[in-house]
Amino acid sequence: MTNILLAGGGTTGHISPMLSIGRELARQHPDWDVVALGTPDGLEAEIVPRAGFELLTIDKVPMPRSISPALLRFPFRFRDNISAVKQIISTRGIDAVVGVGGYVCPPAFLAAKQAKIPLIVHEANAKPGMANRLGARLTTTGRVGITFPDTKLPGSTLVGMPMPAEITDLDRSDAGQRAGFRAELGLRDDRPVLVVTGGSSGAQKINEAFLATATACQEAGIQVLHITGAGKGEALREVAAELSDYHAVDYVDGMHRAYAVADLLVARSGAATVSEATVAGVPALYVPLAIGNGEQRLNASGSVSAGASLMVDNADFSPSTVVETILPLLADESRLAQMSRAALNLNYPTDAAARMAAIVNRALEG
């Protein structure tokens, strides 16, 4: 039996494509054992088992950014993590490692190299992180898949973003389907829908701007589906409770439903969000968070250049953005339609999971 170790976690931006790849491998090879590697305190600890995959864990060992006792301990803790993954590879008979980024990937990549088994990498962001830059150097040409055409990684192949079939198969021109999803989400059919989301960790700046303008949104004749993130936006919820067309929720089970009902999306520009919205043809206004390598701004740049979306820096996003930019845009049906067409015309790959599975298959064949 073939055994595959998926490595990644920390954020839904890593976990979602990892699970999509895992599902495709399991679909193609029902007799394979596909397991995941993460940390016990990351989002993967809940999401991966819920998705039906076994999760193996190692300690989270981030690289210290300053001189401290933690920096002195880092080499030893990192070495122990490599040893832990090598033990997993040995005891579970792992035949290949597929990494998507996150704290567990560097030790997993090095363990795979030392064990002399195939290493396959998927990079979600336009600007690669440290983990996947390492992985690209450790593996061979043709075993690195990238989401965006401008991503620079040696030996890489454009595959797109692995995502659920419910998103790649979504047809937003199907009025009946959209109406059905609106009903499921408690939305009316006679008003435009603005979907607002900050991702799995929420977005304080976005939440605060809409807290100040929730009543203005209601008065403008639009509906808002605001996905705040668990435990976020309590003040917004209190205001929304008094407004019939402002719906503040922790999360939406199946983001394809949110994309289906949205006339406009306001969101962070994580790689998964940009890719999914583009594939679904959802007009968007992105609010990149200045974290990591600045990848969120780069993730959305192709969409913005094509006219499929707008971008407003997090520092500049305010109540006036909602009133002066977002509400007028929602009233401009022709421009929204043009943005939707521009997104679809970017022709982002919709079979990324299958392309990644093909890379895994070829790696195992020789």
Side-chain angles (χ1 to χ4, degrees):
M1 183 172 68
T2 299
N3 302 295
I4 305 295
L5 182 66
L6 308 172
T11 67
T12 54
H14 288 142
I15 299 166
S16 180
M18 179 177 76
L19 292 176
S20 292
I21 295 168
R23 290 189 190 98
E24 180 62 19
L25 289 171
R27 186 193 69 80
Q28 291 187 17
H29 308 283
D31 57 330
W32 285 16
D33 189 23
V34 181
V35 299
L37 178 72
T39 66
D41 55 352
L43 288 174
E44 63 271 18
E46 176 184 352
I47 297 174
V48 169
R50 195 170 67 213
F53 291 92
E54 180 183 0
L55 179 70
L56 309 175
T57 62
I58 59 175
D59 291 338
K60 178 180 176 179
V61 183
M63 175 71 168
R65 302 291 183 179
S66 60
I67 297 176
S68 65
L71 181 61
L72 298 176
R73 293 193 298 270
F74 174 78
F76 304 99
R77 298 183 66 202
F78 188 73
R79 180 196 60 195
D80 290 345
N81 261 359
I82 297 172
S83 297
V85 182
K86 287 174 68 176
Q87 181 71 13
I88 290 171
I89 290 172
S90 174
T91 58
R92 300 297 292 257
I94 299 298
D95 296 291
V97 170
V98 181
V100 298
Y103 290 117
V104 300
C105 280
F109 292 162
L110 289 164
K113 183 71 172 180
Q114 292 175 19
K116 298 181 180 179
I117 61 173
L119 168 60
I120 298 94
V121 177
H122 181 268
E123 173 54 56
N125 288 299
K127 188 173 183 179
M130 181 191 71
N132 283 350
R133 292 201 305 270
L134 171 65
R137 288 197 296 269
L138 293 175
T139 193
T140 58
T141 296
R143 293 183 181 176
V144 179
I146 57 175
T147 298
F148 299 104
D150 294 334
T151 300
K152 293 177 174 58
L153 274 178
S156 60
T157 301
L158 179 66
V159 300
M161 170 64 77
M163 64 184 73
E166 291 87 351
I167 294 174
T168 58
D169 294 344
L170 184 65
D171 180 5
R172 296 179 70 254
S173 67
D174 185 336
Q177 186 181 71
R178 293 188 75 188
F181 284 134
R182 286 191 181 200
E184 290 178 16
L185 294 168
L187 301 169
R188 297 159 49 171
D189 253 347
D190 60 345
R191 291 192 171 192
V193 176
L194 171 66
V195 174
V196 182
T197 177
S200 57
S201 59
Q204 183 177 356
K205 187 84 170 180
I206 295 174
N207 291 351
E208 289 174 351
F210 278 95
L211 171 62
T213 57
T215 301
C217 291
Q218 175 93 11
E219 292 173 349
I222 69 166
Q223 303 174 92
V224 180
L225 177 63
H226 193 138
I227 307 166
T228 63
K232 309 285 184 180
E234 290 306 318
L236 177 65
R237 291 171 189 282
E238 293 179 12
V239 171
E242 304 297 321
L243 302 172
S244 60
D245 288 323
Y246 203 108
H247 307 266
V249 299
D250 278 353
Y251 71 98
V252 168
D253 186 15
M255 276 301 291
H256 64 285
R257 301 196 301 164
Y259 295 139
V261 303
D263 292 287
L264 179 67
L265 172 72
V266 173
R268 295 299 192 200
S269 48
T273 300
V274 173
S275 300
E276 291 171 358
T278 302
V279 164
V282 183
L285 184 148
Y286 294 117
V287 188
L289 195 57
I291 58 172
N293 303 310
E295 63 268 16
Q296 286 208 358
R297 168 172 279 278
L298 294 172
N299 290 342
S301 62
S303 170
V304 173
S305 297
S309 62
L310 304 176
M311 187 187 302
V312 176
D313 284 342
N314 188 66
D316 297 330
F317 194 86
S318 68
S320 64
T321 308
V322 179
V323 174
E324 297 171 11
T325 301
I326 293 171
L327 295 184
L329 180 55
L330 273 161
D332 191 341
E333 292 184 15
S334 63
R335 188 178 180 196
L336 291 173
Q338 185 179 25
M339 292 172 72
S340 180
R341 288 193 298 271
L344 295 173
N345 287 340
L346 281 167
N347 291 316
Y348 276 23
T350 58
D351 59 348
R355 295 187 188 199
M356 286 301 299
I359 294 174
V360 175
N361 292 336
R362 288 195 299 270
L364 289 170
E365 289 167 0

